Amino acid sequence: MLLENNVEVSVTHEKRSSGSVKLLFTSLFNFSSYVIRAFTWSQWSHVALIDPELGVIEAVPIYGVRASTLERVLNHNRLKYAILEVPVVDSDKLINIARSFLGAQYDWKAIFGLLLHGDWQEDSKWDCAELVAYCFYAAGNPLFNPKFTHRVTPQMLFQIPNTTLVETNMEDIQYEENLIL
C-alpha cells in the first residue's frame, strides 16, 4: 500500500469482484465535443462515474470535479450517452476515492497536452478520463499503466474488457462485449 495524491493506493491483480461501478459516457453535438472526439478518435467526449448516492461524479471545465444528478447530465437536447457496468474489487472504495476529489480543479493542461501530444498534466487537477482512470487505479483496479492515466481518453475507458452495456440512447453504438477469459 502506498500514498499517492493523499489517497491510499493498493494495487491488486485478483479477478474476484465485490461489486461494480457504472460509467457514463456522453457526446454532445457541439464544437468542443466534436474537437475532443476528432482528436481522440472517439465516439465519446466525456466520461463520469455514477455514484449511487450523489448521482454523477465528473470533471468538467469551469466547475472542476463536481457531483451532479444523473438527470441533469442527461437533460441535454442533443446528447448521446451510454452507461457501462464495470466489475471492481471494492466499489465502495472506488466511489469514496472519487468523492475525495470533489472540488478539485479541472486539468486544462492535460487536455491541451492530449490534443497536442504533450505531457502537461497537473497532479492535483483532473480531466474526466484521467479522474476515472486514477480512481480505478487507486482503488486497486488498475485499467492502465499508472504512469499513463493522464493520457487516457473516454474511448479507451469505453473499450476496457469485462464490461456490460446497461443503457444507451444510441441505435448505432459501437460496442462489443470483450471478455477476458
Side-chain angles (χ1 to χ4, degrees):
M1 205 156 312
L2 61 131
L3 196 64
E4 206 172 286
N5 290 336
N6 296 323
V7 175
E8 200 173 275
V9 176
S10 64
V11 177
T12 181
H13 296 286
E14 296 180 35
K15 281 291 190 187
R16 67 178 177 79
S17 175
S18 67
S20 62
V21 294
K22 292 180 181 173
L23 300 180
L24 171 67
F25 295 85
T26 63
S27 288
L28 287 168
F29 291 98
N30 64 26
F31 181 73
S32 61
S33 179
Y34 175 77
V35 168
I36 291 168
R37 287 182 282 129
F39 276 89
T40 62
W41 292 70
S42 179
Q43 62 183 322
W44 307 109
S45 59
H46 185 65
V47 62
L49 279 163
I50 296 179
D51 181 319
E53 295 173 22
L54 298 180
V56 174
I57 298 177
E58 61 182 347
V60 292
I62 301 172
Y63 301 105
V65 181
R66 69 175 183 181
S68 187
T69 66
L70 183 59
E71 293 77 26
R72 180 178 174 198
V73 174
L74 296 180
N75 194 24
H76 288 280
N77 288 343
R78 295 171 44 187
L79 174 84
K80 287 188 174 186
Y81 76 91
I83 297 174
L84 292 187
E85 189 167 22
V86 183
V88 295
V89 174
D90 186 341
S91 58
D92 290 337
K93 183 175 182 179
L94 195 145
I95 293 297
N96 285 329
I97 289 168
R99 289 176 183 168
S100 75
F101 292 112
L102 289 171
Q105 294 181 344
Y106 191 75
D107 193 354
W108 285 101
K109 286 185 178 180
I111 293 297
F112 288 113
L114 187 63
L115 297 177
L116 301 173
H117 303 284
D119 191 13
W120 305 332
Q121 91 284 355
E122 295 187 44
D123 291 338
S124 62
K125 298 179 180 181
W126 304 94
D127 71 29
C128 65
E130 70 183 349
L131 173 69
V132 170
Y134 185 79
C135 288
F136 272 83
Y137 164 72
N141 299 278
L143 303 173
F144 305 95
N145 182 324
K147 293 179 183 179
F148 302 106
T149 56
H150 65 282
R151 306 292 297 169
V152 173
T153 67
Q155 185 68 31
M156 290 174 178
L157 289 163
F158 190 75
Q159 294 172 325
I160 60 176
N162 298 319
T163 62
T164 303
L165 180 62
V166 175
E167 181 179 334
T168 186
N169 67 349
M170 298 172 58
E171 293 177 15
D172 61 340
I173 191 165
Q174 297 171 12
Y175 175 80
E176 183 177 321
E177 282 194 32
N178 48 7
L179 303 174
I180 293 181
L181 304 175

